[in-house]
Amino acid sequence: MASRAAVKTVIMVAAVALAAATGLAGAGARAADADAVRRGEYLFNAAGCLGCHTDEKGGGKPLAGGRALATPFGTFYPPNITPDPEHGIGRWSDADFIRAFREGRAPDGSYLYPAFPYPSYTRMTDRDLLDLKAYLFSREPVAAANRPHDLSMPFSWRFLLAGWQWLYFDTRGPRPDDPAKPPEWNRGRYVVDALGHCGECHTPRTTFGGMEADRYLAGNPKGPNGDKVPNITPQPRFGIGGWTPGDITLLLETGLTPEGDVVGNAMAEVVRNSTSKLTADDRAAVAAYLQSLPPIGPPP
């Protein structure tokens, strides 16, 4: 009898220990998920996802897509990126999500238009991409159908994107930190070139829509919605060469220029939804990186 009672006691103790361990593991997983969502929210803001994927003027729900983005190649309508399984990205696996950002390919293998700035997002780390996905999947699913793009030929022929990627898309992924540069510079490069995808608007395009690599950040006369996008290289006359680091960080935080003007149009939206939500350290890193770049003037 004593032996049987002892066995029962051992079993009960083991069961309690197992339940406690399971509870701790579950709590740890929930905490990890919450941390991923929190980090993902910061990345979401840094990447400016809200503005492009929300038809604010049309009264659309956040991230349900449908906003018109006019370009020289036609009008793009960014898709629904809520976790709705039918119209959004609710059925996307981690691998699907990373592939879209890293390779510019949809889950079915079709090529994505570079109006979705994957040529810049490809430089994001896997961890940042999965944290971003965790945040998006924590949002409200919206059953809003996607609107097809309205593009002129030949840009409406999606199969030609294979050639476009061959010409213009560098798929090497994240760049390692430059050990010869300080951490602030490396962080600034990551925020500008990858998360913030600043070059996508501030760099002129070729006839077929590729960025002119030798004029990176030197301004774009034919930006989104027909706006002229300024030169943000440290060129003294045509760029921001006369700006102090404080001038740059103040603009990123408030939209106020050194001349006392306030940015408008697309940049006002970027400040409201993105750069004003960066940490002060990240804004300082952006300023340090931009001021280190080669100054580029107008084309000959």
Side-chain angles (χ1 to χ4, degrees), residues 129-140:
L129 288 174
L130 293 178
D131 286 346
L132 176 59
K133 178 176 180 284
Y135 175 72
L136 291 176
F137 273 60
S138 74
R139 301 299 87 196
E140 175 192 0

Side-chain angles (χ1 to χ4, degrees), residues 91-176:
R91 293 196 179 107
W92 286 31
S93 67
D94 289 352
D96 291 335
F97 194 84
I98 290 175
R99 188 185 190 194
F101 283 75
R102 184 81 70 236
E103 301 177 21
R105 304 285 286 272
D108 64 3
S110 60
Y111 291 94
L112 298 174
Y113 281 101
F116 167 54
Y118 59 81
S120 295
Y121 288 153
T122 190
R123 296 170 180 170
M124 291 176 64
T125 64
D126 284 357
R127 173 176 172 174
D128 279 357
L129 288 174
L130 293 178
D131 286 346
L132 176 59
K133 178 176 180 284
Y135 175 72
L136 291 176
F137 273 60
S138 74
R139 301 299 87 196
E140 175 192 0
V142 180
N146 291 309
R147 183 173 177 179
H149 304 311
D150 182 13
L151 307 178
S152 57
M153 292 189 299
F155 305 109
S156 59
W157 298 341
R158 191 180 287 267
F159 71 89
L160 293 179
L161 288 170
W164 187 94
Q165 288 196 1
W166 182 78
L167 286 171
Y168 299 115
F169 183 33
D170 180 357
T171 60
R172 286 177 291 180
R175 291 182 296 190

